[in-house]
């Protein structure tokens, strides 16, 4: 394989830049990884604007959330499994398989004529997404030394930011002009290009490890994840949090979490090696990644709700309103990555980024019915800057402290933490928003109207509340109460981000600085490889001496 680095084995602590040049072969691989990341991440955002049209054509209004939930659940389950298997059997075949599975799911979704066929197609897509997202980051860890990796992970983070902006816009345009089915077909050419590049140019050195697959770990983890994520997604919406259904799911999930831990302690090749958590860097990074994802995805989902329901913008404008946050994340992600590569320092940027996020969330929690769009833009920009400075670095610091043999499962664990955080964050933010909405709306009604209209306010459909035309049909005093009540509840939702980010700040401060390696291998791995080579050479020379004496 072509080597693309000029490195030493000594870790760098000073500010001198690393002598690293990406080879032409690795550049092609990196482009393919970005394309794979693009098709996987845009599929999470492009479908949203088309959901009303999809359910109008296929039905399923009562279950439309499953179009997103199916992909999310399957992706969360697949991530840790693929991470471990790629450590055992190599990355290339799994990455190509992930692309093929994702494109198969796209075809099924695009050709579906029934609602539940579409849900099945989205589930297949989720299996592909759960393969592509972590392996894209893992393969970067395989080919680029940690000291030089910051800027490239910044570019990968920019892909996510771009798709978060472009996805809803493209989804609306495609749906309006050529039909929602093309949302699924449009990514197929990009996936094919990525498959060709990976198949032709990615040749990673790998020694297959024959090991017994941890089937018990896969089964227990899958059941635990599905039950817990379903309970979190349904709690407060489909069923009350204290309902028998939700509590039963949590009990089953907890039981299988305990079973999973017991299985992993005894497995010869565990799906998730618990020894990784002995590293404080690994443990605290995953805590921080989970908390960051909770706040990030809760904000991404409910900032447009604020824009539509409180400020009264239309759906297209609410999609565009996330742009300041994403631009801040993209630009600062790239700049921070370059600075990390140049200086070899990362903690200062991560801590500063979390502080920026806290300021942005505090600002969001202060917005109300009198807020101007410019105040909302300012709060989102500050929050996005913080995300760009911190988010990608958690993957970098994890990859820097784990051995090459654990790179896949360690990177997948970080992605897994983000998946769990996004699911929990969206569910909890939504529960806070809807839980007290009736009382909040009623509190802004005149006393003479409160009793008469509280029942009507309680029956207000959230979708109708967010529709400016529906709001215009309400009496002005009721419309004002709806806007004010929704603003109050969203303030409470955003305020939840502050204690979560306080925990993220503590976790980030606890991440001790480990100098970024200038080699893709750890010092221990390099030393072991050297000793093995010396032992092999010594044995070979000894054999020659013996043969010479015998002659």
């Amino acid at each position: 394989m072509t080597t693309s680095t000029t490195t030493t084995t000594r870790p760098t602590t000073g500010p001198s830049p690393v002598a690293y040049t990406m080879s032409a072969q690795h550049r092609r691989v990196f482009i393919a990884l970005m394309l794979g990341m693009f098709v996987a991440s845009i599929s999470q955002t492009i479908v949203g604007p088309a959901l009303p049209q999809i359910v109008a054509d296929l039905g399923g209004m009562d279950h439309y959330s499953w179009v997103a939930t199916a992909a999310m659940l399957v992706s969360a389950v697949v991530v840790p499994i693929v991470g471990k298997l790629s450590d055992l059997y190599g990355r290339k075949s799994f990455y190509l398989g992930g692309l093929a599975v994702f494109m198969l799911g796209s075809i099924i979704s695009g050709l579906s004529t029934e609602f539940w066929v579409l849900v099945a197609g989205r589930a297949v897509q989720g299996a592909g997404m759960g393969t592509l997202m972590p392996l894209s980051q893992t393969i970067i860890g395989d080919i680029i030394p940690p000291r030089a990796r910051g800027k490239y992970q910044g570019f990968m983070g920019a892909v996510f930011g771009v798709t978060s902006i472009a996805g809803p816009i493209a989804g609306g345009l495609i749906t309006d002009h050529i039909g929602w089915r093309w949302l699924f077909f449009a990514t197929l050419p990009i996936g094919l290009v990525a498959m060709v590049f990976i198949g032709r140019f990615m040749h990673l050195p790998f020694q297959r490890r024959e090991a017994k697959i941890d089937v018990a770990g896969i089964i227990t983890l899958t059941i635990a994840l599905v039950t817990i994520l379903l309970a979190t997604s349904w709690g407060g919406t489909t069923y009350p949090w204290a309902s028998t259904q939700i509590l039963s799911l949590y009990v089953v999930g907890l039981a299988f979490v305990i079973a999973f831990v017991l299985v992993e302690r005894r497995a010869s090749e565990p799906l998730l090696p618990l020894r990784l958590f002995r590293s404080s860097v690994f443990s605290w990074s995953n805590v921080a990644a989970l908390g960051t994802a909770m706040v990030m995805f809760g904000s991404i989902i409910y900032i447009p709700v604020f824009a539509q329901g409180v400020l009264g913008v239309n759906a297209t404008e609410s999609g565009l309103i996330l742009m300041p946050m994403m631009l801040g994340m993209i630009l600062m992600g790239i700049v921070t990555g370059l600075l990390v590569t140049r200086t070899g320092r990362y903690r200062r940027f991560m801590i500063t980024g979390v502080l920026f996020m806290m300021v942005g969330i505090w600002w969001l929690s202060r917005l109300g019915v009198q807020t101007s769009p410019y105040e909302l833009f300012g709060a989102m920009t500050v929050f996005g800057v913080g995300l760009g400075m911190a988010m990608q670095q958690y993957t970098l610091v994890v990859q820097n402290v784990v051995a090459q043999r654990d790179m896949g499962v360690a990177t997948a664990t970080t992605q897994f933490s983000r998946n769990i955080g996004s699911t929990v964050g969206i569910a909890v933010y939504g529960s806070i928003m809807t839980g007290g909405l009736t009382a909040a709306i009623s509190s802004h009604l005149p006393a003479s109207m409160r009793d008469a209209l509280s029942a009507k306010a309680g029956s207000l459909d959230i979708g109708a509340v967010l529709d400016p035309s529906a709001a215009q049909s309400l009496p002005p005093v009721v419309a004002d109460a709806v806007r004010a009540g929704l603003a109050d509840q969203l303030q409470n939702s955003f305020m939840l981000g502050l204690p979560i980010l306080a925990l993220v700040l503590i976790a980030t401060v606890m991440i001790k600085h480990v100098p970024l390696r200038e080699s893709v291998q750890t010092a221990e791995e390099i030393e072991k490889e050297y000793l093995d080579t010396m032992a092999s050479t010594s044995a070979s020379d000894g054999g020659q001496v013996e043969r010479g004496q015998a002659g």
Side-chain angles (χ1 to χ4, degrees), residues 8 17 129 140 425 487 510:
T8 65
M129 291 189 301
I140 289 178
M510 295 298 292

mmCIF file with all atom_site columns, all heavy atoms in Angstrom, residues 8 17 129 140 425 487 510:
data_model
loop_
_atom_site.group_PDB
_atom_site.id
_atom_site.type_symbol
_atom_site.label_atom_id
_atom_site.label_alt_id
_atom_site.label_comp_id
_atom_site.label_asym_id
_atom_site.label_entity_id
_atom_site.label_seq_id
_atom_site.pdbx_PDB_ins_code
_atom_site.Cartn_x
_atom_site.Cartn_y
_atom_site.Cartn_z
_atom_site.occupancy
_atom_site.B_iso_or_equiv
_atom_site.pdbx_formal_charge
_atom_site.auth_seq_id
_atom_site.auth_comp_id
_atom_site.auth_asym_id
_atom_site.auth_atom_id
_atom_site.pdbx_PDB_model_num
ATOM 1  N N   . THR A 1 8   ? 7.351   10.221 12.538 1.00 0.00 ? 8   THR A N   1
ATOM 2  C CA  . THR A 1 8   ? 8.215   9.618  13.535 1.00 0.00 ? 8   THR A CA  1
ATOM 3  C C   . THR A 1 8   ? 7.334   8.978  14.569 1.00 0.00 ? 8   THR A C   1
ATOM 4  O O   . THR A 1 8   ? 6.147   9.244  14.635 1.00 0.00 ? 8   THR A O   1
ATOM 5  C CB  . THR A 1 8   ? 9.113   10.681 14.209 1.00 0.00 ? 8   THR A CB  1
ATOM 6  O OG1 . THR A 1 8   ? 8.264   11.566 14.914 1.00 0.00 ? 8   THR A OG1 1
ATOM 7  C CG2 . THR A 1 8   ? 9.934   11.439 13.197 1.00 0.00 ? 8   THR A CG2 1
ATOM 8  N N   . PRO A 1 17  ? 4.261   22.023 13.073 1.00 0.00 ? 17  PRO A N   1
ATOM 9  C CA  . PRO A 1 17  ? 3.332   21.264 12.263 1.00 0.00 ? 17  PRO A CA  1
ATOM 10 C C   . PRO A 1 17  ? 3.885   19.903 11.910 1.00 0.00 ? 17  PRO A C   1
ATOM 11 O O   . PRO A 1 17  ? 5.087   19.677 11.877 1.00 0.00 ? 17  PRO A O   1
ATOM 12 C CB  . PRO A 1 17  ? 3.163   22.143 11.010 1.00 0.00 ? 17  PRO A CB  1
ATOM 13 C CG  . PRO A 1 17  ? 4.421   22.950 10.951 1.00 0.00 ? 17  PRO A CG  1
ATOM 14 C CD  . PRO A 1 17  ? 4.838   23.173 12.364 1.00 0.00 ? 17  PRO A CD  1
ATOM 15 N N   . MET A 1 129 ? -26.928 3.340  6.865  1.00 0.00 ? 129 MET A N   1
ATOM 16 C CA  . MET A 1 129 ? -26.431 4.528  7.565  1.00 0.00 ? 129 MET A CA  1
ATOM 17 C C   . MET A 1 129 ? -25.611 4.138  8.787  1.00 0.00 ? 129 MET A C   1
ATOM 18 O O   . MET A 1 129 ? -24.580 4.754  9.073  1.00 0.00 ? 129 MET A O   1
ATOM 19 C CB  . MET A 1 129 ? -27.600 5.415  7.981  1.00 0.00 ? 129 MET A CB  1
ATOM 20 C CG  . MET A 1 129 ? -28.309 6.090  6.820  1.00 0.00 ? 129 MET A CG  1
ATOM 21 S SD  . MET A 1 129 ? -29.531 7.340  7.328  1.00 0.00 ? 129 MET A SD  1
ATOM 22 C CE  . MET A 1 129 ? -30.646 6.388  8.321  1.00 0.00 ? 129 MET A CE  1
ATOM 23 N N   . ILE A 1 140 ? -10.772 7.029  8.324  1.00 0.00 ? 140 ILE A N   1
ATOM 24 C CA  . ILE A 1 140 ? -9.887  8.187  8.460  1.00 0.00 ? 140 ILE A CA  1
ATOM 25 C C   . ILE A 1 140 ? -8.842  7.916  9.543  1.00 0.00 ? 140 ILE A C   1
ATOM 26 O O   . ILE A 1 140 ? -7.661  8.241  9.396  1.00 0.00 ? 140 ILE A O   1
ATOM 27 C CB  . ILE A 1 140 ? -10.710 9.448  8.799  1.00 0.00 ? 140 ILE A CB  1
ATOM 28 C CG1 . ILE A 1 140 ? -11.515 9.886  7.582  1.00 0.00 ? 140 ILE A CG1 1
ATOM 29 C CG2 . ILE A 1 140 ? -9.809  10.580 9.267  1.00 0.00 ? 140 ILE A CG2 1
ATOM 30 C CD1 . ILE A 1 140 ? -12.386 11.087 7.833  1.00 0.00 ? 140 ILE A CD1 1
ATOM 31 N N   . GLY A 1 425 ? -32.535 13.300 23.399 1.00 0.00 ? 425 GLY A N   1
ATOM 32 C CA  . GLY A 1 425 ? -32.705 14.746 23.383 1.00 0.00 ? 425 GLY A CA  1
ATOM 33 C C   . GLY A 1 425 ? -33.996 15.173 22.700 1.00 0.00 ? 425 GLY A C   1
ATOM 34 O O   . GLY A 1 425 ? -34.759 15.996 23.233 1.00 0.00 ? 425 GLY A O   1
ATOM 35 N N   . ALA A 1 487 ? -44.116 29.735 23.218 1.00 0.00 ? 487 ALA A N   1
ATOM 36 C CA  . ALA A 1 487 ? -42.821 30.341 23.541 1.00 0.00 ? 487 ALA A CA  1
ATOM 37 C C   . ALA A 1 487 ? -42.371 29.960 24.951 1.00 0.00 ? 487 ALA A C   1
ATOM 38 O O   . ALA A 1 487 ? -41.195 29.644 25.181 1.00 0.00 ? 487 ALA A O   1
ATOM 39 C CB  . ALA A 1 487 ? -42.895 31.862 23.400 1.00 0.00 ? 487 ALA A CB  1
ATOM 40 N N   . MET A 1 510 ? -12.503 16.980 32.309 1.00 0.00 ? 510 MET A N   1
ATOM 41 C CA  . MET A 1 510 ? -11.905 15.752 32.835 1.00 0.00 ? 510 MET A CA  1
ATOM 42 C C   . MET A 1 510 ? -11.105 14.978 31.795 1.00 0.00 ? 510 MET A C   1
ATOM 43 O O   . MET A 1 510 ? -10.387 14.040 32.142 1.00 0.00 ? 510 MET A O   1
ATOM 44 C CB  . MET A 1 510 ? -13.003 14.851 33.408 1.00 0.00 ? 510 MET A CB  1
ATOM 45 C CG  . MET A 1 510 ? -13.726 15.435 34.623 1.00 0.00 ? 510 MET A CG  1
ATOM 46 S SD  . MET A 1 510 ? -12.623 15.715 36.026 1.00 0.00 ? 510 MET A SD  1
ATOM 47 C CE  . MET A 1 510 ? -12.220 14.026 36.466 1.00 0.00 ? 510 MET A CE  1
#
